[in-house]
Amino acid sequence: KANGRGRWSFFDPAMEEYVQTRDNIARELRRAIDNDALAVAYQPQLSSKTGKITAVETLVRWTHPERGPISPANFVPIAEETGLINDLGLWVLRRACRDAHLWPDVMISVNISPTQFRHPRFIDQLIETLASYDLPPSRLEIEVTESVFAGKDAAVLNVMKRLRELGVKIALDDFGSGYSSLSYLRRFPFDILKIDRDFILPAGDSAQAQAILRTIIDLGEALDMTVVAEGIETAEQMDFLTSIGCERLQGYFISRPGPAEEVAPMIVSGAIDSRVKMSTGRLRA
Ligand code: C2E
Ligand code: MG
Ligand code: MG
Ligand code: MG
């Protein structure tokens, strides 16, 4: 009887509820994947050198029939936990390649979760997808976070090498938000460095944040990587990043993520919001 409490803790109602909700969501997500009921949004990245859109990031979207829109920050981890992530990721990759093959020049980036990246069929599925939509591998970028490593360095390095051989670019996402990104940069061949939003947020007015950003951009230059700033929300942030030579700019200030129909005309015409143009114009002058 004295051990009763300890025993019951195995049936923690909060945990039970979580598992139940998670499993329900996973079942509905499975159905959404099978029925093509997911969507993607594309967020443009602006070149600070040319003032034109040079890349777009693909972001998955899911509107649940009863719960409404659910953030990928919430359902992607569920897909990881419940074995759906490979099918989810493949669905997004296919959709991105299908759309991108109609757009001129721009790079298309796709977020790939750790499990999908290390899946034995990942590279084959990628090659098949590129071929079936006739998209050159050189148009594709894969974004991973440092959580991809998780003690599996050899496997990750192997996948990276194969991507390299294909001509697919590899980005390290959310750089600076983890624990040991610097050691990964030394050991793994990343082409692109995406600075975490936490550093961009105070870029308009914090001397410390500005010093860190300068250092990251120097590092990127020294290691021959393209540096991308994401989460740019103000003209001040954008002006500062442009002035220190950050090559690509991404964030709500430049453009919110949008459906293909909205983003395609921007890509084709290179047209972006006039206040953004003014900002880049001033800095490039
Ligand atoms: P991420 O890859 O770091 O994507 C950037 C996130 O920041 C996106 O959120 C984007 O909408 C948001 N964002 C962009 N500009 C701004 C800004 O100026 N201000 C603010 N506050 N946010 C901005 P989203 O679409 O909700 O995605 C969240 C995360 O979910 C992504 O972070 C990524 O880790 C994951 N994710 C999204 N789509 C996919 C996918 O297709 N596959 C995988 N594996 N993960 C995905
Ligand atoms: Mg990303
Ligand atoms: Mg990111
Ligand atoms: Mg993130």
Side-chain angles (χ1 to χ4, degrees):
K1 285 262 158 67
N3 294 329
R5 285 174 69 115
R7 203 159 60 87
W8 282 106
S9 72
F10 283 103
F11 302 94
D12 179 347
M15 177 56 90
E16 205 171 10
E17 199 182 304
Y18 164 75
V19 169
Q20 214 167 68
T21 310
R22 185 195 69 180
D23 290 351
N24 284 338
I25 290 190
R27 203 172 312 113
E28 288 150 355
L29 186 56
R30 168 85 266 165
R31 203 175 308 140
I33 297 167
D34 293 341
N35 296 341
D36 266 351
L38 298 174
V40 293
Y42 296 102
Q43 188 175 33
Q45 293 176 2
L46 197 68
S47 161
S48 65
K49 290 181 179 158
T50 65
K52 293 209 165 75
I53 295 167
T54 53
V56 292
E57 178 175 11
T58 313
L59 297 158
V60 67
R61 294 289 178 259
W62 181 31
T63 304
H64 187 279
E66 287 102 39
R67 295 173 207 264
I70 305 182
S71 164
N74 294 324
F75 71 81
V76 167
I78 293 179
E80 272 269 339
E81 281 177 42
T82 56
L84 293 174
I85 195 66
N86 293 314
D87 289 346
L88 174 77
L90 190 58
W91 188 93
V92 173
L93 184 69
R94 286 198 175 118
R95 182 55 59 96
C97 290
R98 190 193 79 177
D99 289 340
H101 120 275
L102 300 170
W103 301 337
D105 295 341
V106 293
M107 299 292 293
I108 182 97
S109 84
V110 177
N111 294 284
I112 299 291
S113 81
T115 308
Q116 188 186 6
F117 194 84
R118 298 189 306 248
H119 190 278
R121 297 249 316 121
F122 173 59
I123 294 283
D124 288 340
Q125 288 171 335
L126 186 98
I127 293 171
E128 283 164 25
T129 306
L130 289 166
S132 71
Y133 295 103
D134 201 20
L135 189 77
S138 57
R139 295 268 314 274
L140 184 68
E141 291 174 8
I142 295 298
E143 293 189 13
V144 292
T145 59
E146 67 172 60
S147 61
V148 77
F149 295 107
K152 307 244 168 62
D153 290 9
V156 172
L157 196 56
N158 186 45
V159 178
M160 288 180 85
K161 279 185 179 146
R162 295 199 60 194
L163 289 173
R164 270 260 151 125
E165 286 161 14
L166 288 170
V168 173
K169 300 267 187 293
I170 312 161
L172 183 56
D173 203 354
D174 302 341
F175 177 73
S177 68
Y179 295 103
S180 43
S181 293
L182 283 178
S183 111
Y184 294 126
L185 288 189
R186 185 172 59 77
R187 289 179 292 140
F188 297 91
F190 287 101
D191 304 286
I192 297 143
L193 203 54
K194 292 193 80 172
I195 310 172
D196 193 69
R197 203 160 60 82
D198 278 0
F199 296 107
I200 312 301
L201 224 50
D205 54 29
S206 150
Q208 281 89 346
Q210 293 182 351
I212 291 171
L213 289 169
R214 277 202 181 88
T215 306
I216 296 176
I217 283 156
D218 285 351
L219 180 70
E221 228 153 65
L223 297 180
D224 205 19
M225 291 182 294
T226 299
V227 179
V228 183
E230 68 177 345
I232 297 175
E233 295 183 354
T234 69
E236 289 71 32
Q237 292 163 354
M238 176 161 150
D239 289 354
F240 176 72
L241 286 153
T242 305
S243 75
I244 62 172
C246 183
E247 207 169 317
R248 287 199 213 161
L249 311 164
Q250 179 182 357
Y252 293 167
F253 182 73
I254 293 136
S255 171
R256 288 193 173 251
E261 316 83 78
E262 271 173 33
V263 176
M266 292 167 66
I267 294 170
V268 172
S269 69
I272 37 156
D273 203 304
S274 54
R275 76 209 147 100
V276 175
K277 273 235 168 82
M278 267 173 56
S279 203
T280 39
R282 186 162 73 242
L283 275 144
R284 281 187 304 123

